[in-house]
Amino acid sequence: MSLLPPEIHAALAQLLQALVASDNTVRSRAEEQLSTEWVQARPDVLLMALVEQIQGSENSGTRSFAAVLFRRIATKTRKDPATGEAKELFVTLQQPQKVAIRQKLLECLTREAIPHVRNKIGDAVAEVARQYTDYNENWPELLNVLFQTSRSTDSGQREGSFRIFATTPGIIEKQHEDTVLAAFTRGFKDDDISVRLAAMEAFASFFRSISKKDQQKFFTLIPDILSILPPIKEAQDSDQLTKALIALIDLAEVAPKMFRHLFHNLVTFSITVIQDKDLSDQARQNALELMATFSDYAPQMCRKDASFTTEMVTQCLSLMTDIGMDDDDAAEWNDSDDNEVDESDQNHVAGEQCMDRLANKLGGRTILAPTFNWLPRMMASSAWRDRHAALMAISAISEGCRELMVGELDKVLDLVVPALRDPHPRVRWAGCNALGQMSTDFAGTMQEKYHQVVLSNIIPVLESVEPRVQSHAAAALVNFCEEAEKSILDPYLDELLNHLLLLLQSPKRFVQEQALSTIATIADSAEAAFGRYYDTLMPLLFSVLRQEQSKEFRLLRAKAMECATLIALAVGKEKLGRDALELVQLLGSIQQGITDADDPQSQYLMHCWGRMARVMESEFLPYLPAVMPPLLELASASADVQILEDEEQVAQVEQEEGWELVPVKGRVIGIKTTILDDKHMAIELLVVYAQVLAAAFEPYVLEIMDKVALAGLSFFFHDPVRVASAKCVPQLLNSYKKAHGDRSPQLAGLWERAVDKILEILGADSTVDTLAEMYQCFYESVEVLGKGCLTANHMATFIESAKSTLEDYRTRVKDRLEDKTDAEEEEEDSEETLFAIEDDQTLLSDMNKSFHTIFKNQGPTFLPHWERLLNFYDAFITSSDATQRQWALCIMDDVLEFCGEQSWNYNSHIIQPLFHGMGDEIPANRQAAAYGVGVAAHKGGAAWSEFAAAAIPTLFGVTHHAQARQDDHVYATENACASIAKILHFNSGKVANVPDVIQHWLDTLPVVNDEEAAPYAYSFLTQLIEQQNPLVISQAPKMFTHIVQALEAETLQGQTLERVVASAKQLLTIAGVDANQLLASMPPETQQTVRTYFWK
């Protein structure tokens, strides 16, 4: 029975017809009427009317559309009339209205006979259920209805109930597990395959929503789930098999270990699916994806399985041969000008990507043997597809197998290099691909040891008759050259440039474009050595830039701009001469001619202007007024965000490039990432301008700071934008400081706005990697402003944020420990866990630098605020985690260094940790502790003298460590040496038998690595020489050698260097040592160093 009068339904029916009208004007007018007359004016009536349309309309299209519209309207946001709080529309209705609407919805769901309409109604039910769950309200009759429909004699009703569970798993999270187990068990064993699949999807969604502890209660369902698969395969139903595998992939991501007891069976089944060419490619690729997911999330389980690795490698290689089936001679492939054809859904790409994942997750020790069991045979095969697959496999696994393959590059190159002369062009292309990938994955080794092998073989490939092979050879050279030192490239420059200049004459535009990119990379790597080609290349590039070109030549001109400006950067302003002016004028002319939003030249131009600013420095200033407006427009761009109402909209957006889809509260939000990428790039360029132009950039600082940088810190749509903004803020402050002075009111006003925003973000951000960047923004900004720039309120707010950050960190560490306890004994940390640990270490490091900077600039005034975190320091200093111990030690070092005698107030928190730290097994912690003892002696005053004296034996212990002079340990050794020197020089009042300590201290020299420790050590040595200390004079040759070692290592600078050199001369004179005789015993390079300093 309708609760609304007929005229309401008549008006709404007319509106629904208009909303689907083909006439855009009619439809737009209807949308406006819907918004103003219904959604805003009477949303309760609208939702009730839509439900009654679903309930009463005889037209299935009307019922379906009304259900879709109901869901869309119910999710709109409005202020709750009762509280004023912004909420989703349905939950803001009065309780009687909500009850009536939800009852009618359930009636519609149970009575609807047409499947696609019932599904739309189910989506509306799920949306209302989600809102009840999210706002902690109850819909008591819902579960009863759904459990009843899951037992219905109508298979469509049973399927519909599980569809709702899948969309809104929260409605069953709190139910007793026996009830849930029974419902899913029935679903998995249902007679209808559609119901079984819906139950799988619902279970995957439900399982992901519950805690790890609760997940274990449902492990017993796995046999029932897996039993669904074989009948589908036997029926050769690829679509249904695809759905089942997707649900399994979801489960494998969340809890791969629950498959442990049946894993081998699942591997065997999945391999049969991958092998079955009668199934669709999508089904086969999903089976491959399922296995790859296990390697991602449970690598140890995969390694343990008897057949996983061998079978997966074999199937990947087999899929990789599924290429170019209708183009055996590659004629069609070679005639194509499109190098960017999307082949992501092809079998050979799926195989390559899976090989890459297997190598990265399982490692070389697992993957290399089964892979190289096949590769030599495949390379010797008469079938070009086999040879192509083998080369692409080498490209795919080289990153993950780097540690083992890097020692076997001779053998790998013996397989790859001959392919560059293969009769089939696609094999030569794959050979170039392998060399390019190896040049990146084995960067350094490939360039230093194998430059002759690589370059002498790939340069001739630039002469190939096939344009795509030419282009790919040039692309591989980009990978090689960008990692090569200029001294390595220099002998090959003539041959490289001659070949690339020939490619610029190719009739294929994509070949010309790639040649320009390669030349640009070579110029970037060769730097000044590229100058000898300047007179040949730059006129050619200028010619390209001057030409009026049609749309298809835009990218070529963009590449020419890139190449010209990279050459300018390589050869420098002096070589560029008057061409600099002509080049920027050409760039300006091109910029004025850009009218289309999709013109690639505009983005290239931004980077080109940045390079010219670095080349021309202050001479670039006249061009800023033309450069800045488009750059600021990009940097200020807002996010393009769309709420996608239904599956059709989601599918449409998925087909478009440059969108990221994010599920939020039962809906999907689409974010246009191409706009955000441009925004990120623009802000990065603003950082360059601020760095290069400094005070001259002042006219733009205020606008950029307020509209771009500070706003960008909270641009949560895109983390790279936030990171670039964080780097921009201190550079803008520095520009303003240089323009107005470090104590100017202008700078003070800008700083007040900036620091408030930064501190706000520190307290609000919970994303670990971006939060680290925000701390970096904070300490770099404080460093720019300098002494006394923080008020008591600033410091209190900072501590509050730091406290929250540390509490969150402690929770993450606890959770990781619990996960490790639940894992198998020999199980390795997942890559996700390792990345999380690394992110936390970075966060702690940047927090540390923030504390250091505050203490440095605020001194003891920071102590009352800092005290609030003492419980964290005390816990961290005794932690089994070396990173936490180091974090606490470094903070204590800052207290000692910057708070002077007041640091003694915290001696009970400092003394024992420093003693324990000097014996720490981690060298970085010994270094921090040894350094702390030195600053206590140097800066802490008389109160620390007894401690300093007592620490000397322990410091000597650090210098006597078994690995004291090895790379990882030498900084701890040298800091201990410097700290003993500080004690003897600044605070020796409580040191017994100073001569004996000096005697042993002399044996701790030299200090040739740590540039902070060296001045203290050698200044004390200089003092002893000036005092003509007999212990030093008697060892004059040895002490002189230690001084020479420090000079050679360049650990001494400025006045300290001059004083040490003078004292060394004095030492030789006093001791009567023959300098020439000493010199003769030293290597030639060292002799040259001595002459430079002592006999100028």
Side-chain angles (χ1 to χ4, degrees):
M1 186 184 79
S2 175
L3 299 179
L4 298 175
E7 57 269 22
I8 293 289
H9 282 295
L12 183 62
Q14 188 176 2
L15 179 63
L16 293 179
Q17 285 184 333
L19 286 170
V20 294
S22 57
D23 188 316
N24 287 338
T25 305
V26 173
R27 199 167 59 250
S28 297
R29 196 178 297 127
E31 289 281 359
E32 177 65 24
Q33 184 185 354
L34 174 68
S35 176
T36 56
E37 296 181 17
W38 295 86
V39 176
Q40 295 175 27
R42 43 183 178 170
D44 50 345
V45 175
L46 174 61
L47 289 181
M48 178 62 77
L50 286 170
V51 171
E52 293 192 348
Q53 285 286 325
I54 301 169
Q55 189 179 34
S57 176
E58 295 181 1
N59 185 292
S60 63
T62 300
R63 297 199 302 275
S64 177
F65 182 53
V68 170
L69 192 58
F70 177 94
R71 181 169 178 259
R72 195 174 100 194
I73 302 302
T75 61
K76 289 185 177 294
T77 302
R78 77 160 182 166
K79 286 187 177 180
D80 188 333
T83 65
E85 182 185 354
K87 292 183 179 179
E88 287 168 293
L89 197 150
F90 179 82
V91 293
T92 67
L93 302 181
Q94 296 293 321
Q95 183 66 11
Q97 295 169 326
K98 288 192 288 189
V99 170
I101 289 172
R102 74 194 193 195
Q103 285 175 343
K104 285 180 176 288
L105 265 181
L106 290 180
E107 289 173 13
C108 295
L109 180 70
T110 56
R111 292 178 182 175
E112 181 60 57
I114 299 175
H116 78 270
V117 179
R118 184 171 52 235
N119 288 343
K120 298 297 184 188
I121 298 171
D123 292 341
V125 170
E127 176 55 39
V128 172
R130 180 195 61 76
Q131 292 190 32
Y132 271 114
T133 303
D134 287 354
Y135 292 96
N136 293 315
E137 295 186 23
N138 293 318
W139 186 356
E141 62 269 27
L142 174 64
L143 269 177
N144 185 43
V145 170
L146 291 179
F147 281 133
Q148 283 180 0
T149 55
S150 73
R151 298 186 187 94
S152 170
T153 56
D154 181 345
S155 63
Q157 290 284 359
R158 300 197 300 273
E159 180 188 354
S161 65
F162 285 112
R163 279 175 54 88
I164 294 173
F165 287 145
T167 307
T168 318
I171 61 179
I172 51 173
E173 279 180 21
K174 296 176 182 177
Q175 296 305 303
H176 193 277
E177 60 261 25
D178 289 343
T179 306
V180 179
L181 277 166
F184 280 120
T185 300
R186 281 194 304 273
F188 297 149
K189 295 180 178 180
D190 198 283
D191 293 337
D192 191 291
I193 184 59
S194 296
V195 178
R196 297 200 296 272
L197 290 174
M200 282 186 75
E201 292 170 357
F203 181 72
S205 179
F206 164 72
F207 195 80
R208 188 182 285 275
S209 72
I210 59 178
S211 69
K212 288 190 175 184
K213 185 177 180 181
D214 287 339
Q215 286 172 357
Q216 296 176 21
K217 300 171 185 175
F218 298 94
F219 283 9
T220 56
L221 291 173
I222 291 303
D224 289 339
I225 293 173
L226 295 183
S227 67
I228 296 171
L229 298 171
I232 304 176
K233 181 180 181 297
E234 288 169 16
Q236 292 287 289
D237 192 326
S238 293
D239 290 342
Q240 290 182 338
L241 187 57
T242 293
K243 290 180 181 178
L245 289 167
I246 289 172
L248 279 184
I249 290 166
D250 281 348
L251 292 172
E253 287 179 357
V254 179
K257 303 297 168 35
M258 69 178 174
F259 293 89
R260 184 186 298 113
H261 299 301
L262 293 171
F263 184 60
H264 184 71
N265 295 347
L266 183 55
V267 171
T268 303
F269 174 80
S270 298
I271 295 299
T272 65
V273 174
I274 299 167
Q275 289 173 325
D276 192 340
K277 295 183 180 180
D278 291 330
L279 292 168
S280 70
D281 287 348
Q282 187 62 62
R284 297 171 66 199
Q285 289 176 26
N286 279 346
L288 187 76
E289 174 63 26
L290 175 61
M291 293 294 98
T293 301
F294 279 110
S295 75
D296 288 344
Y297 292 94
Q300 189 65 14
M301 191 166 80
C302 295
R303 291 190 196 102
K304 284 182 175 182
D305 186 82
S307 59
F308 180 90
T309 305
T310 303
E311 291 285 7
M312 281 296 290
V313 167
T314 302
Q315 295 311 313
C316 285
L317 292 172
S318 176
L319 288 171
M320 289 165 67
T321 63
D322 188 1
I323 183 172
M325 290 304 171
D326 300 322
D327 188 30
D328 201 56
D329 61 356
E332 183 182 332
W333 173 82
N334 194 50
D335 285 343
S336 171
D337 285 356
D338 189 357
N339 279 327
E340 303 297 328
V341 175
D342 183 12
E343 296 183 316
S344 59
D345 60 345
Q346 300 294 303
N347 283 339
H348 69 93
V349 174
E352 291 165 22
Q353 292 175 344
C354 188
M355 283 292 286
D356 175 60
R357 288 164 69 181
L358 293 175
N360 276 295
K361 302 300 181 179
L362 304 186
R365 296 186 188 282
T366 303
I367 286 295
L368 277 181
T371 303
F372 275 86
N373 181 48
W374 282 105
L375 295 192
R377 284 181 281 169
M378 294 175 75
M379 287 303 300
S381 170
S382 59
W384 71 264
R385 292 179 181 84
D386 290 346
R387 303 195 299 277
H388 182 279
L391 292 163
M392 296 306 290
I394 290 172
S395 300
I397 68 171
S398 60
E399 180 188 8
C401 300
R402 186 185 190 285
E403 289 185 10
L404 292 181
M405 282 180 71
V406 74
E408 304 290 337
L409 285 182
D410 289 309
K411 297 175 184 175
V412 180
L413 287 170
D414 285 345
L415 282 176
V416 174
V417 168
L420 299 177
R421 299 183 291 276
D422 195 278
H424 199 282
R426 296 198 73 163
V427 177
R428 274 179 276 130
W429 184 97
C432 294
N433 195 79
L435 280 184
Q437 192 62 51
M438 290 168 66
S439 296
T440 298
D441 293 335
F442 308 111
T445 305
M446 279 284 282
Q447 286 77 7
E448 291 165 19
K449 291 183 66 175
Y450 299 103
H451 55 86
Q452 199 277 331
V453 174
V454 174
L455 293 177
S456 64
N457 282 284
I458 204 167
I459 289 174
V461 184
L462 296 171
E463 301 171 9
S464 296
V465 295
E466 302 89 359
R468 291 190 69 172
V469 177
Q470 289 179 313
S471 175
H472 212 51
L477 282 168
V478 169
N479 292 43
F480 184 88
C481 294
E482 66 186 1
E483 301 291 349
E485 296 292 332
K486 52 189 175 185
S487 58
I488 287 173
L489 287 181
D490 193 59
Y492 302 96
L493 287 178
D494 286 347
E495 194 175 5
L496 278 168
L497 269 300
N498 287 334
H499 279 82
L500 291 167
L501 284 169
L502 288 174
L503 292 191
L504 289 178
Q505 301 171 30
S506 168
K508 295 287 188 180
R509 194 169 62 255
F510 70 84
V511 176
Q512 298 173 23
E513 290 165 359
Q514 183 57 61
L516 286 171
S517 290
T518 307
I519 291 169
T521 301
I522 293 171
D524 196 32
S525 296
E527 295 178 350
F530 199 84
R532 61 181 185 264
Y533 308 100
Y534 179 87
D535 294 333
T536 302
L537 270 167
M538 206 55 126
L540 289 174
L541 297 172
F542 274 30
S543 175
V544 173
L545 296 178
R546 288 192 193 100
Q547 291 173 16
E548 289 294 330
Q549 293 173 341
S550 54
K551 190 171 183 177
E552 63 267 24
F553 286 93
R554 286 173 175 174
L555 183 58
L556 180 67
R557 189 152 64 165
K559 296 279 187 181
M561 287 189 285
E562 176 185 55
C563 189
T565 52
L566 278 168
I567 290 173
L569 205 55
V571 302
K573 183 163 60 174
E574 188 174 337
K575 177 68 177 175
L576 204 58
R578 294 181 180 176
D579 285 348
L581 180 61
E582 184 172 359
L583 181 52
V584 293
Q585 287 174 342
L586 278 170
L587 296 177
S589 175
I590 292 168
Q591 180 166 293
Q592 289 175 354
I594 293 175
T595 55
D596 295 342
D598 63 347
D599 191 332
Q601 294 177 112
S602 58
Q603 192 174 86
Y604 277 80
L605 260 172
M606 299 295 175
H607 291 286
C608 292
W609 287 126
R611 293 186 198 106
M612 293 311 295
R614 289 203 293 269
V615 173
M616 298 174 70
E617 297 174 324
S618 60
E619 293 176 22
F620 185 76
L621 287 173
Y623 304 97
L624 269 185
V627 170
M628 290 301 293
L631 187 61
L632 285 172
E633 184 180 352
L634 270 183
S636 307
S638 302
D640 183 354
V641 179
Q642 295 185 19
I643 298 175
L644 309 178
E645 304 291 352
D646 51 39
E647 294 174 2
E648 288 81 0
Q649 285 185 313
V650 171
Q652 182 181 343
V653 169
E654 282 179 332
Q655 298 304 311
E656 300 177 21
E657 287 188 12
W659 284 89
E660 179 182 351
L661 302 182
V662 182
V664 178
K665 291 189 174 182
R667 289 177 288 179
V668 176
I669 292 178
I671 303 172
K672 186 78 170 176
T673 54
T674 48
I675 293 173
L676 305 186
D677 292 338
D678 290 346
K679 181 181 179 76
H680 167 231
M681 175 270 294
I683 299 173
E684 284 192 321
L685 287 171
L686 291 175
V687 174
V688 171
Y689 288 131
Q691 283 176 328
V692 171
L693 301 175
F697 198 61
E698 186 273 347
Y700 302 95
V701 166
L702 288 179
E703 180 181 2
I704 296 170
M705 184 69 88
D706 291 334
K707 294 184 179 178
V708 177
L710 295 182
L713 294 179
S714 54
F715 194 83
F716 293 101
F717 294 108
H718 198 57
D719 284 347
V721 167
R722 301 186 63 217
V723 171
S725 300
K727 296 189 184 308
C728 194
V729 169
Q731 294 300 331
L732 294 173
L733 289 168
N734 191 50
S735 294
Y736 225 56
K737 174 183 173 180
K738 291 194 172 182
H740 295 284
D742 57 358
R743 289 292 176 264
S744 65
Q746 295 94 328
L747 179 62
L750 184 64
W751 169 237
E752 190 60 37
R753 298 202 300 280
V755 70
D756 286 347
K757 182 65 176 181
I758 298 168
L759 289 171
E760 174 195 322
I761 294 297
L762 290 182
D765 205 336
S766 59
T767 308
V768 176
D769 52 350
T770 52
L771 183 55
E773 297 285 351
M774 299 305 139
Y775 274 103
Q776 183 176 342
C777 172
F778 173 78
Y779 72 71
E780 287 182 353
S781 299
V782 171
E783 199 67 77
V784 170
L785 270 291
K787 300 286 185 187
C789 66
L790 296 174
T791 64
N793 187 51
H794 290 150
M795 289 186 278
T797 305
F798 173 83
I799 287 296
E800 198 60 44
S801 301
K803 182 173 179 286
S804 175
T805 299
L806 290 171
E807 286 169 347
D808 290 345
Y809 164 75
R810 203 152 55 180
T811 300
R812 290 193 298 274
V813 171
K814 180 173 172 287
D815 290 344
R816 284 198 290 265
L817 286 173
E818 288 176 358
D819 289 346
K820 203 169 183 67
T821 303
D822 294 339
E824 296 177 10
E825 281 187 22
E826 69 261 25
E827 187 180 340
E828 303 167 0
D829 285 332
S830 68
E831 188 175 76
E832 184 181 4
T833 299
L834 293 174
F835 279 138
I837 292 170
E838 186 179 335
D839 284 344
D840 272 332
Q841 289 173 342
T842 303
L843 175 59
L844 285 182
S845 174
D846 284 318
M847 283 187 73
N848 239 346
K849 290 171 186 172
S850 296
F851 280 100
H852 172 84
T853 307
I854 298 174
F855 273 122
K856 176 182 172 184
N857 288 286
Q858 300 294 138
T861 63
F862 184 45
L863 287 172
H865 308 283
W866 169 80
E867 282 179 4
R868 294 173 55 198
L869 300 182
L870 271 173
N871 64 317
F872 286 101
Y873 309 132
D874 291 342
F876 280 23
I877 207 75
T878 57
S879 169
S880 59
D881 184 335
T883 302
Q884 292 184 21
R885 298 197 301 275
Q886 184 182 9
W887 187 84
L889 283 167
C890 289
I891 298 268
M892 296 306 179
D893 289 352
D894 290 330
V895 173
L896 290 164
E897 184 168 1
F898 299 113
C899 298
E901 295 181 0
Q902 291 187 42
S903 63
W904 181 252
N905 296 334
Y906 306 95
N907 72 85
S908 62
H909 298 274
I910 296 176
I911 290 176
Q912 274 313 116
L914 290 185
F915 273 114
H916 287 308
M918 287 187 283
D920 200 297
E921 60 183 10
I922 304 299
N925 291 353
R926 292 202 304 279
Q927 176 188 347
Y931 177 81
V933 175
V935 292
H938 183 191
K939 306 281 190 177
W944 288 97
S945 58
E946 191 170 328
F947 160 75
I952 287 176
T954 312
L955 287 168
F956 276 124
V958 174
T959 69
H960 296 150
H961 190 278
Q963 297 171 296
R965 291 290 170 182
Q966 293 187 8
D967 286 349
D968 290 342
H969 300 263
V970 71
Y971 284 90
T973 303
E974 293 186 349
N975 270 270
C977 167
S979 289
I980 297 170
K982 289 175 185 177
I983 294 169
L984 294 172
H985 180 70
F986 297 108
N987 213 331
S988 61
K990 297 292 179 68
V991 178
N993 199 356
V994 170
D996 190 44
V997 175
I998 292 174
Q999 176 71 58
H1000 288 93
W1001 176 77
L1002 294 172
D1003 292 332
T1004 67
L1005 293 168
V1007 177
V1008 292
N1009 293 278
D1010 194 315
E1011 295 179 3
E1012 289 186 31
Y1016 290 102
Y1018 285 97
S1019 291
F1020 183 61
L1021 179 61
T1022 296
Q1023 178 184 322
L1024 295 175
I1025 293 170
E1026 290 169 350
Q1027 293 171 351
Q1028 299 189 21
N1029 187 294
L1031 295 170
V1032 177
I1033 304 303
S1034 63
Q1035 302 181 70
K1038 182 179 177 181
M1039 295 303 108
F1040 182 78
T1041 301
H1042 288 333
I1043 291 172
V1044 169
Q1045 288 172 310
L1047 299 178
E1048 198 169 28
E1050 298 181 349
T1051 55
L1052 300 172
Q1053 305 291 333
Q1055 293 182 348
T1056 303
L1057 171 63
E1058 294 174 6
R1059 186 176 168 217
V1060 170
V1061 169
S1063 70
K1065 292 178 182 177
Q1066 182 184 358
L1067 174 64
L1068 295 179
T1069 303
I1070 295 170
V1073 173
D1074 185 347
N1076 290 321
Q1077 188 176 352
L1078 265 181
L1079 204 60
S1081 65
M1082 297 178 181
E1085 300 84 5
T1086 306
Q1087 292 183 32
Q1088 184 59 41
T1089 300
V1090 174
R1091 289 192 179 94
T1092 301
Y1093 286 108
F1094 292 93
W1095 290 281
K1096 293 181 181 178

